[in-house]
Amino acid sequence: IFGVSFEATELIENRKRLQTYLNHLLQYSNENFYWMDLNSNILLCNNSQAKFFGYDDPQQLIGKNIYNFAQKMGWSKELANKIRQHDVEVINNKSSQQYEEKGFFRGEKKTFLSSKSPFFDDDDNIIGIFGLAVDISEQKRREELLRLAKESA
């Protein structure tokens, strides 16, 4: 009984530690992290993702999808459709993909490098997508300035 009790206690402590690490990742990461179901409805996201879409709490995004955000952010339906198509490609290909997703965000032209991956259950069925989006707008601006400088030299 002692061995089983010790093992259960250790499992509980490991689970609590893992939960703490996950919470810190979600709370303190500067990149936008999200986990969605097969219909692109948000199941989980971090503070950075919530703030990007103008929310104070990540819980406010649960159940919302790209079309809800497009409407709130003033995006075109074409941009929302393109982002959704990227999700569908990840699901259909059952593999991770990277995309440059461009658009206007709060009136400013932005480019995000979005890495999207399928999320599988224990039976190897895709149950959703998780992703990480990094704002690479400044890098893209520098690349464009460098290109223009080379052309004019």
Side-chain angles (χ1 to χ4, degrees):
I1 290 185
F2 175 74
V4 172
S5 175
F6 178 75
E7 193 172 298
T9 301
E10 187 176 341
L11 286 172
I12 291 169
E13 288 173 7
N14 286 339
R15 183 174 181 192
K16 286 180 184 178
R17 190 173 20 251
L18 182 60
Q19 184 66 44
T20 298
Y21 295 155
L22 178 60
N23 287 340
H24 285 168
L25 173 70
L26 293 174
Q27 185 174 1
Y28 298 115
S29 176
N30 291 326
E31 291 78 19
N32 296 342
F33 172 82
Y34 50 89
W35 175 25
M36 303 180 295
D37 66 17
L38 295 174
N39 296 312
S40 298
N41 296 308
I42 298 286
L43 300 173
L44 178 74
C45 72
N46 66 351
N47 289 341
S48 184
Q49 181 77 13
K51 286 182 183 7
F52 176 77
F53 284 120
Y55 294 92
D56 295 323
D57 183 352
Q59 293 295 315
Q60 294 174 290
L61 278 77
I62 306 302
K64 292 182 172 52
N65 62 44
I66 195 62
Y67 296 102
N68 301 126
F69 301 130
Q71 184 176 16
K72 179 179 168 97
M73 303 291 283
W75 297 347
S76 68
K77 186 163 184 165
E78 290 78 26
L79 176 59
N81 286 339
K82 186 174 184 178
I83 292 171
R84 173 63 182 147
Q85 182 58 40
H86 293 164
D87 298 343
V88 171
E89 287 174 13
V90 169
I91 293 166
N92 289 341
N93 295 331
K94 296 184 178 184
S95 65
S96 298
Q97 304 289 327
Q98 280 193 334
Y99 304 95
E100 281 191 13
E101 295 176 331
K102 301 174 184 181
F104 283 89
F105 303 92
R106 294 187 186 84
E108 187 178 349
K109 186 178 178 183
K110 295 273 191 179
T111 303
F112 284 85
L113 181 60
S114 293
S115 298
K116 299 181 178 202
S117 299
F119 196 78
F120 297 93
D121 65 12
D122 291 339
D123 296 321
D124 215 26
N125 298 307
I126 295 179
I127 58 171
I129 300 167
F130 66 93
L132 185 69
V134 179
D135 185 350
I136 60 168
S137 304
E138 189 58 37
Q139 176 185 340
K140 290 303 216 179
R141 278 190 275 278
R142 283 191 218 124
E143 288 173 2
E144 180 62 14
L145 289 173
L146 181 60
R147 185 188 65 75
L148 292 172
K150 285 181 180 179
E151 283 179 3
S152 66

